[in-house]
Amino acid sequence: MKIKIIAVGSIKEEYWRVALEEYKNRLSLYTKIEIIEVKDEPAPPQMSKALQEKVKLKEGTKILHKIKDKDLVVAVDLNGPQRDSETFAKFVDSLFVRGNSEIIFVIGGSLGLSPEVQKRANEVVTLSKLTFTHQMTRVIVLEQIYRAFKINRNETYHK
């Protein structure tokens, strides 16, 4: 079993890198984990809808180049269904039961995921209706995957 996280942008702050390493280490007891970063496109605060779509398209193309046809892809997107931790744990378990040895979670940049990436995704998850930075989202996704493994094995952590 292997989980990949494909994420737009790099982690600049040391505290997020430390948190990511902590959850990668914890997850190493249960699965192989790999984080793949694709370069984000410049996105000035004030830009037209057309430019926003162009940025998402460029970032989406970079993401899609990292995905194989047979990969099981889970888009992390605000428009997906919300799940509590127990339901998310069952969801993660069901992904492996499908016979896929590798699952890819995709996290977009500051503007979200392109329609092409959304279309390619086999599943969609929402972490919250709240908006998080993409750096924070990466840590939350890893923490929730770790929590899912702990729940699925009836190990203490989740309360």
Side-chain angles (χ1 to χ4, degrees), residues 70-89:
K70 65 180 176 72
D71 288 337
L72 180 65
V73 177
V74 180
V76 179
D77 187 82
L78 283 172
N79 297 315
Q82 281 192 286
R83 297 173 172 92
D84 61 21
S85 293
E86 289 86 2
T87 307
F88 183 75

Side-chain angles (χ1 to χ4, degrees), residues 86-110:
E86 289 86 2
T87 307
F88 183 75
K90 289 177 187 169
F91 169 73
V92 169
D93 195 46
S94 76
L95 297 176
F96 286 114
V97 170
R98 290 184 190 181
N100 294 78
S101 60
E102 190 167 280
I103 299 166
I104 299 175
F105 285 83
V106 179
I107 302 168
S110 60

Side-chain angles (χ1 to χ4, degrees), residues 28-45:
S28 69
L29 299 171
Y30 305 102
T31 187
K32 292 179 183 173
I33 187 90
E34 180 182 0
I35 297 177
I36 299 167
E37 295 179 343
V38 297
K39 185 167 176 24
D40 54 344
E41 292 294 316

